[in-house]
Every structure is written in structure tokens, then in C-alpha cells.
Amino acid sequence: MGKEHKVLIMRCDKYDAAKIAGIVKEGMQHLGVTPSGRILLKPNVVLAHPEVFPYAFTRKEFLDGVISATKAQAQDVDEIAVGERSGITVATRSNFKLAGYPEVIKKHKIKVHYFDEVKQVPVSISGAEVLRNRLFVPQPVAECDFLINLPKFNAHPWSRLTLSLKNFIGIQDDRHRLVDHNQFLEHKIADLQAVIQPKFIAIDAIRAGQRMMLTPTPFDMGAIVMGTNSCAVDTVGCHMVNVDPHDLIHLRFASQRGFGPMELEQIDVGGDFPLTEMQAKTRNFEFCLERIDDYFGAESNLSCTVGSFPEKHSADYCWGGCPGALQEAMHIFRGFYPHVHKEMGRIRYVVGKVEEPLDLADGERVIFAGSCTSWEGEIAGKDVQIESSYKTASEVDETRTQSNDMLMKFLGAQWHALRNRSSRYIHVPGCPLSVAQHVNYLASMAKIGNPILDPRLLIPVNIAYYQMRFKRFVNSLGG
Ligand code: SF4
């Protein structure tokens, strides 16, 4: 079997921009990488804050080092830019600032493209397995010649690991990002490879993240992983933490569609950090691919009733949608209020098609979450009927999607909860319900402080939000 693809695992034990630049430059030379034309660097800045979200994102020193290496190696450059769309509806410029990116961007005099502020353009994709024939991406993504992917090496509660392939979820703005972010998430990740594939990948695995996506616990992995093919890099990434690549469903889908290999025998693994040494080091690396049924524990005031789900390929659980968003939301609350699970009001979270009685405790309130949820029974002496309004992928028109605006989601949840303040239950449709919606509804229904109103976030996040809205409006006026 030929080894067409090469992946390097290089030692790097600290966030030193000069050291990272040297390692990445050496990696580029070894892999024969010469960036040119419109060069776009795509880090992972899903969420950033030096105190409350310190481990979720590609570090500024890493970005700094890769830009230096890119400048040293590039030829015939038209533009070097960094672009990203952060998660949970927070304006990307806010997270860039909290991640310390502006000083790096200024130092290197490169451009920045906040994907939530630029035009979104349709790109046609084809193939027997594609979920839809058209995807919307930010204009700078559609127009770039050389995409450099800079993921953070993190575990992920929806899809086990987020490496090169999964990092592409951040090339879509919220309006399009949440389309198919449900039982079809793994298909969607494979579809995004049909839009564009990176020509160089460097994973920030210096300090990796375990368990959660937004609030990972740090793991000193001490490495930089480099390659030129996402499937090859992700395959090696799986082996680095003793995961069978076949268990990374989006990798399997992407490889089956011809985007790259997923067998180690097909990959030339090099670098100065032997794979076997890494595997020994990560023996206790923690994941969180746990269902929510018992996840929060008997001590918690939050309990979950999980039913069945509409799509046959994953009828027993929805890995890509609401349940994982609930886990992320609760971990965000814990970052602000460590004992939230005991201090919050009693909540039963119901998701999917549930056919059994809920057996609620006194005063326990119910959140029926998501469009696919259905239930019939009695709550506080009243007949209640929750009906599913789920639509499968082919029934969802990607050109007529909701904006998923941060402020609208916050106000919408406040108003919805206020109208139902004397009710023991609320039904929140959406497929998926985003992490931000979970935060907003849990805050209202369980009487917890909303992190978005925390003084550490309130002012910077809101200033960035209004700047983003203004820039988006200005950019929409352009041709
Ligand atoms: S509504 Fe939520 S749980 Fe149901 S299919 Fe959609 S994303 Fe999954």
C-alpha cells in the first residue's frame, strides 16, 4: 500500500511564538508546502476568555508562529489573512480580542476576516453521498487560494474529537452553521470538505483539551501535528489518543468520499515525537462521549428523559444536536457557578419522542427541548400534548434559515420564559437548539444567573456585538 500522505508529530512543550515558527517552517519545508495567492489561516476560536474559557481555542502564540513560518515560506502572495466564525452566537471579534489575536494581527500587518461580518456566498457541491447540493460559506473562504487550517487538539462531546475536519464547522456563520447540526452533523462535516480542503494543517496540540469543546480540561500533550491532508492528519490524531479512526464517523465519511486515507498503513508518520511515545503519554486522555440520561448525576437538580429520534441511522440518540448542547451549556454554567447543579431549580429536560410518564418531583419544571420532541400526559393536573415539528434534511431550505442572532435569541428566550412563568413546562422548538439557547432557557427556567450578564462578559461581548452588526450591515451594501 503506497504512503502518499505524510504527517509530522513534532515536539513543542511551550507556547513560544519563535519556537513554534521554527518548527512549523521546518514542517512546511519537509512537506513541500509553499503558500501563495490569497492565503487564509483558519484557527479554532470557538470561544475564548483568559479566565473562564482559557483552553478552548488555538493560542495566539501558535497563530503568531504559523504566520511567521507562512511569511518565510510563501511566494507570490496576494494576501495573508486570518478568518473564523466563533461559536454560540458570540461575535467573533469579541473572542479574537479575548484570545489576544489583535496584537498578533497588528504585528504581522495581515488582514482579518470575521466570517459573521462578511457576505455569505453559495458554493455548489456534488456527489452521490452529499447531504445537500449547495452550502453557504463566507466570501473570503470561497475566494481563497491557500487555506491553512489551525485546529486546537480537543476532545468533543458530539463527535469524540475536533481536529482538522471538524474545525471546518467554523467556516460557516450561525445562520448556516446550525443547518444539519443534528443527527446529520457527521454528514455535514464531510460535505464541508467538498467546498474546500486545506493545503496545510498545523494542529495546536501543545496543550490539548479533554472532555468538552467549550470548557475542556487541559492536557499537556507537548506537540504540533502537521500535514497536507485532513483525513491523514485526523487519522494520526486519533491514534495519538488511542482512538480507532473508524470510530470518528465524519472521518469515515470523508475518507469514503475520497478526501483522504484513514488507515495508518497509508500514511508516512514522521517528526521527532514517536507515535508510540505519544500513545503511552495519552493513555488516560479523557473523552466525553456520554449520553445525557445519567450524565448530571443523582445529586443534580437537572435530570433528563431521553426518547427516540427521527433518523434511522441514529434512532437511539441525537449525537450532533440538543443533548450535547445541553452538556456544553451546563459546563458553561459551572465555569461561573461551580455548584450550579445543586443551586438551580429542579429541571427535567425532555428530548426526543418520549412515551413514558415523566414522574415529576414537586415543583420540578420541564423543558421539552427541540423540534423532534413529543410527549403526551399530565403535568400539575393539566393535560399536555407536545407535538413534533421535526423536518428532515431535504425539507430544510438552506436559503431560508434563521439568523440565530445573539441578542434576538436572548430576548426571545426571556420573552418566551416570561410568558410561561407560571407554567410548569415550556416547549422550545428548534433543530438543533443551540448552546446559547440552552443557556438562556436554563437560566430562566431554573432561576440561575445568565453568564451573558456576568460583568466579565457583558460589556466586551455587547460592544463587539454592535460592532459586528454595524460591519455586517456595511458589508451587505457592497457589490
Ligand atoms: S430537535 Fe434536537 S434532538 Fe431532535 S433531531 Fe433536532 S437536534 Fe436532534
Side-chain angles (χ1 to χ4, degrees), residues 27 52 66 71 75 104 173 197 229 264 294 301 308 311 351 364 367 391 431 442 479:
V52 277
V66 176
K71 282 180 156 177
Q75 288 176 6
V104 176
D173 189 21
Q197 290 162 63
N229 178 276
L264 205 53
D294 303 314
N301 284 344
S308 58
E311 299 296 341
V351 67
E364 187 172 19
I367 299 176
K391 289 182 179 159
C431 184
L442 280 167

Side-chain angles (χ1 to χ4, degrees), residues 357-379:
L358 295 179
D359 293 331
L360 299 173
D362 281 351
E364 187 172 19
R365 301 184 83 189
V366 185
I367 299 176
F368 292 102
S371 298
C372 75
T373 294
S374 62
W375 183 79
E376 203 173 335
E378 202 178 270
I379 296 178

Side-chain angles (χ1 to χ4, degrees), residues 181-183 309-310 318 320-323 351-352 369-373 390 430-433:
H181 202 309
N182 46 35
Q183 287 180 279
F309 295 86
C318 176
C322 305
V351 67
S371 298
C372 75
T373 294
Y390 174 80
C431 184
L433 283 190

Side-chain angles (χ1 to χ4, degrees), residues 343-405:
E343 292 163 1
M344 65 191 286
R346 280 194 82 113
I347 294 289
R348 176 72 60 87
Y349 181 89
V350 180
V351 67
K353 181 181 178 184
V354 173
E355 294 178 293
E356 75 244 26
L358 295 179
D359 293 331
L360 299 173
D362 281 351
E364 187 172 19
R365 301 184 83 189
V366 185
I367 299 176
F368 292 102
S371 298
C372 75
T373 294
S374 62
W375 183 79
E376 203 173 335
E378 202 178 270
I379 296 178
K382 274 176 61 180
D383 288 336
V384 175
Q385 189 171 15
I386 305 295
E387 290 182 19
S388 167
S389 55
Y390 174 80
K391 289 182 179 159
T392 194
S394 59
E395 296 170 305
V396 175
D397 182 351
E398 69 276 11
T399 64
R400 301 167 68 89
T401 51
Q402 287 184 343
S403 77
N404 291 308
D405 177 274

Side-chain angles (χ1 to χ4, degrees), residues 408-418 426 436-437 440-441 444:
M408 298 309 290
K409 289 231 153 161
F410 174 73
L411 294 175
Q414 296 298 311
W415 177 237
H416 190 189
L418 185 68
I426 196 165
Q437 282 175 298
N440 291 329
Y441 276 98
S444 294

Side-chain angles (χ1 to χ4, degrees), residues 296-329:
F296 301 103
E299 278 195 339
S300 175
N301 284 344
L302 172 66
S303 62
C304 302
T305 301
V306 180
S308 58
F309 295 86
E311 299 296 341
K312 281 199 190 96
H313 65 264
S314 178
D316 64 332
Y317 202 67
C318 176
W319 283 107
C322 305
L326 173 71
Q327 286 169 314
E328 289 285 2

